[in-house]
Amino acid sequence: MILLLSLTGLLQASLLSHLSGGNNLDLTLVLVVSWSLLRGPREAILWGFIGGLVLDLLSGWPTGLSALLLTLIATLISLGQERFYRGLPILPLGAVGVASLLYHTALLLMGGLLGRRVDLLSEISNSLVPALVANLVATPFLYYPLRALHRRLGPPRLGW
Amino acid sequence: MARLRLSTAQLFLLALAASVLILALDSSGLLHPVEGTILRTILPLQRALNQVGQDLSNLGQYLRDIDELRQEREELRALVDRLTIENVELREAQVENVELRQLLQFVESNPSLQLVAAEVVGRDPLPLSRSLLIDRGSEQGIASGMPVVTARGLVGRIVEVYPRVSRVLLLIDASSSVNARIQNSRATGVVEGTGANTLVMRFIQQAEPLAEGDILLTSGLGGNFPRRLVIGQVTAVHQSDVELFQSAEVRPAVDFSRLELVLVVMNFEPREFPLPSEEATP
């Protein structure tokens, strides 16, 4: 898990940043949300925390911020789907859409709180919307292979 | 070893607490060495992935460039084709322009001649006959026997007339003959076609001076052609004491193989001299 999330974070920070459309893709977020939908809240917490931590290490944001945000978002998504939306075919897309909005909005807010200059309209049009589109497009390509993996692995057994 | 079992809520709180702790440690700068170590460790992998990304990006750009270049190449090919055609047309127009200018000059320098320009539309396809077709005929007032010239000199005469086309018997045809005069000596003779691209002048008196380079003009004798049209230039002289006349090889002034535009002399009526037997007939 740590290796996979590290590799995802690295891909997001290096290879994808060169590709048209890829530079907007939150690969770690899509991976964490997809896995959270499939494996329940306990794994969501772990994947959110570790995935976020990897992103923190590779980004210029304060370390721990993405870990905190992704932990919260992944847990929320996982609990929400367990209680209300299980089995909906568009669940992965909806979940990734909501997670993307939450993640980027939270980053904008945190940026404002940390005293960064935030041009809201520009951030929405240049960052949030393209990221939302890229994440939604990428979701089926990540979710369904992960679902196949999930079925092979069987129910989650966490030793924590 | 006993496994630590945490409830989901405990795990959640632990993760949150860890995140906040990390945030706090980071803001105090305590995490800096750890972050540095981790980043240094993953640097080679990140560099490699970055390079792959760069290569993929370059590849994408390369593929886009190929598409653009292909399109550009097609456009340039079309442009070259268009320009080539345009260039050919312009060259043709230039050649025609030069030719027309020469003809105009000829017309201006021969005000007594009424001339009609005609385009060469066909050449004799068979051997032994040297004639060509022009795009003027009886509808344009062309008549049999009319002389045909260019700015360079005499071409031949009209031998067949159709409503819109006429046939010109070239000077070099073996059946063609014209009375000529040597420009310098004023000596006369008859220039005949050889069937090849040369002429021969016969019946020049032995006493007449004749030399290579002499210019031959139509003499007007016999009434078949107007006077003073250039025929050609002497290239060789054949003189023999046992012959009654001397003769000369003549290079025609006109390049018959390159004729495109000619002038028909409209106001010259060739005179037909009846044979003695015809004169006797009532």
Side-chain angles (χ1 to χ4, degrees):
Chain A
M1 172 182 65
I2 294 173
L3 263 178
L4 180 64
L5 286 167
S6 300
L7 187 65
T8 308
L10 277 171
L11 280 174
Q12 189 174 331
S14 54
L15 195 147
L16 289 177
S17 64
H18 290 285
L19 304 180
S20 171
N23 54 344
N24 295 310
L25 176 63
D26 299 313
L27 190 62
T28 304
L29 177 83
V30 179
L31 182 73
V32 166
V33 171
S34 300
W35 197 245
S36 302
L37 290 171
L38 294 164
R39 305 290 288 182
R42 291 178 68 86
E43 286 200 26
I45 293 164
L46 282 175
W47 279 61
F49 178 72
I50 293 169
L53 204 56
V54 171
L55 287 182
D56 283 331
L57 283 168
L58 297 168
S59 78
W61 287 85
T63 307
L65 181 62
S66 282
L68 182 67
L69 291 176
L70 282 189
T71 304
L72 283 168
I73 290 168
T75 309
L76 196 70
I77 294 287
S78 177
L79 288 173
Q81 74 87 26
E82 262 194 346
R83 293 194 180 179
F84 306 111
Y85 305 110
R86 183 177 283 275
L88 271 178
I90 59 157
L91 179 67
L93 287 176
V96 167
V98 170
S100 303
L101 287 173
L102 285 174
Y103 182 61
H104 280 268
T105 309
L107 282 179
L108 281 176
L109 287 173
M110 289 307 295
L113 287 174
L114 291 169
R116 295 190 180 195
R117 190 179 296 161
V118 177
D119 181 350
L120 197 61
L121 282 178
S122 163
E123 286 298 324
I124 288 172
S125 60
N126 296 329
S127 172
L128 195 152
V129 174
L132 182 64
V133 173
N135 293 349
L136 289 175
V137 170
T139 299
F141 298 100
L142 276 173
Y143 180 80
Y144 292 104
L146 285 174
R147 192 173 69 173
L149 179 66
H150 160 66
R151 284 174 180 164
R152 279 179 71 95
L153 291 174
R157 284 173 297 157
L158 283 175
W160 288 69
Chain B
M1 197 169 73
R3 297 184 74 175
L4 179 64
R5 292 292 302 175
L6 294 172
S7 69
T8 303
Q10 285 171 328
L11 188 62
F12 177 66
L13 288 173
L14 183 64
L16 286 189
S19 300
V20 174
L21 180 65
I22 289 168
L23 268 170
L25 288 172
D26 182 60
S27 62
S28 66
L30 286 170
L31 270 186
H32 197 71
V34 182
E35 286 174 342
T37 309
I38 294 171
L39 286 176
R40 200 171 56 238
T41 311
I42 62 172
L43 183 66
L45 183 58
Q46 191 171 14
R47 186 180 286 153
L49 286 170
N50 201 44
Q51 188 57 49
V52 173
Q54 189 121 33
D55 291 347
L56 284 175
S57 172
N58 290 342
L59 182 66
Q61 185 60 45
Y62 179 69
L63 293 174
R64 278 194 295 276
D65 285 350
I66 287 177
D67 265 356
E68 277 176 24
L69 286 172
R70 193 170 292 154
Q71 195 181 347
E72 208 171 323
R73 189 187 61 181
E74 292 306 316
E75 285 170 4
L76 286 173
R77 270 189 183 166
L79 182 67
V80 167
D81 288 348
R82 207 170 63 238
L83 289 176
T84 305
I85 291 167
E86 219 169 281
N87 195 26
V88 168
E89 285 172 354
L90 283 173
R91 278 175 188 274
E92 282 301 299
Q94 197 179 12
V95 169
E96 197 178 330
N97 194 20
V98 169
E99 213 167 328
L100 285 170
R101 202 184 295 269
Q102 287 171 347
L103 290 179
L104 182 67
Q105 210 174 346
F106 179 80
V107 171
E108 283 172 353
S109 58
N110 293 277
S112 61
L113 298 177
Q114 188 189 332
L115 301 160
V116 164
E119 197 175 331
V120 175
V121 292
R123 290 172 194 280
D124 205 317
L126 299 177
L128 303 175
S129 173
R130 309 300 301 265
S131 67
L132 47 83
L133 290 173
I134 58 172
D135 65 343
R136 294 283 186 273
S138 55
E139 286 182 5
Q140 287 79 34
I142 305 293
S144 186
M146 285 180 171
V148 178
V149 297
T150 68
R152 295 185 68 86
L154 186 63
V155 172
R157 61 190 168 89
I158 303 287
V159 288
E160 287 173 19
V161 182
Y162 304 95
R164 292 186 182 180
V165 176
S166 301
R167 182 174 299 282
V168 180
L169 184 71
L170 298 178
L171 206 55
I172 50 175
D173 187 272
S175 65
S176 176
S177 66
V178 55
N179 287 309
R181 187 187 300 280
I182 296 164
Q183 192 178 34
N184 290 337
S185 66
R186 313 308 288 170
T188 58
V190 177
V191 171
E192 295 172 347
T194 61
N197 280 324
T198 56
L199 301 167
V200 60
M201 187 173 180
R202 303 184 197 280
F203 311 118
I204 310 162
Q205 296 290 336
Q206 284 285 7
E208 298 290 350
L210 185 62
E212 282 182 32
D214 279 350
I215 302 292
L216 304 184
L217 307 172
T218 51
S219 65
L221 297 174
N224 282 329
F225 291 97
R227 296 169 64 193
R228 288 193 286 277
L229 294 174
V230 179
I231 296 172
Q233 195 170 21
V234 173
T235 55
V237 177
H238 299 289
Q239 193 175 28
S240 170
D241 292 339
V242 295
E243 297 282 342
L244 197 57
F245 300 100
Q246 51 182 335
S247 64
E249 287 177 26
V250 178
R251 184 178 63 229
V254 174
D255 184 354
F256 295 94
S257 63
R258 292 175 189 272
L259 278 177
E260 290 180 23
L261 283 171
V262 295
L263 295 169
V264 183
V265 183
M266 304 288 287
N267 59 344
F268 179 82
E269 285 184 20
R271 281 181 229 156
E272 294 294 333
F273 294 103
L275 295 171
S277 56
E278 288 170 345
E279 273 183 322
T281 312

